[in-house]
């Protein structure tokens, strides 16, 4: 609900959505969601370890499918 109300959501909301997408096997969507946000947040010196962890798992499972 928070994502619909606020189009420029913080990294915390994106991480939670990324985790839900990961659990549902939507690995490309995880990467598409978190990559631009994590790049922007890294420029602002924000701790983005959870986003990077979720993307790493998504990349792993995508590689495993090939």
């Amino acid at each position: 609900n928070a994502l619909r109300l606020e189009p420029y959501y913080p990294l915390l909301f994106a991480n939670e959505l990324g985790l839900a997408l990961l659990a549902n096997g939507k690995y490309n969507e995880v990467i598409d969601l978190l990559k631009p946000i994590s790049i922007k947040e890294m420029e602002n010196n924000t701790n983005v370890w959870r986003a990077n962890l979720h993307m790493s798992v998504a990349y792993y499972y995508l590689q495993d499918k090939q």
Side-chain angles (χ1 to χ4, degrees):
N1 200 13
L3 293 175
R4 287 185 297 188
L5 298 174
E6 178 62 51
Y8 303 106
Y9 42 85
L11 183 61
L12 174 67
F13 294 164
N15 278 330
E16 294 303 319
L17 178 59
L19 184 59
L21 291 170
L22 243 156
N24 287 306
K26 298 181 179 179
Y27 308 119
N28 286 321
E29 291 181 38
V30 173
I31 295 165
D32 293 342
L33 170 72
L34 293 177
K35 192 171 189 175
I37 294 170
S38 66
I39 291 170
K40 182 184 77 168
E41 293 296 328
M42 284 175 57
E43 292 171 355
N44 296 331
N45 294 323
T46 305
N47 191 352
V48 294
W49 68 269
R50 286 185 66 199
N52 290 335
L53 175 66
H54 294 158
M55 285 190 296
S56 297
V57 171
Y59 278 121
Y60 173 79
Y61 281 115
L62 282 174
Q63 179 184 7
D64 198 37
K65 282 185 172 183
Q66 294 176 356

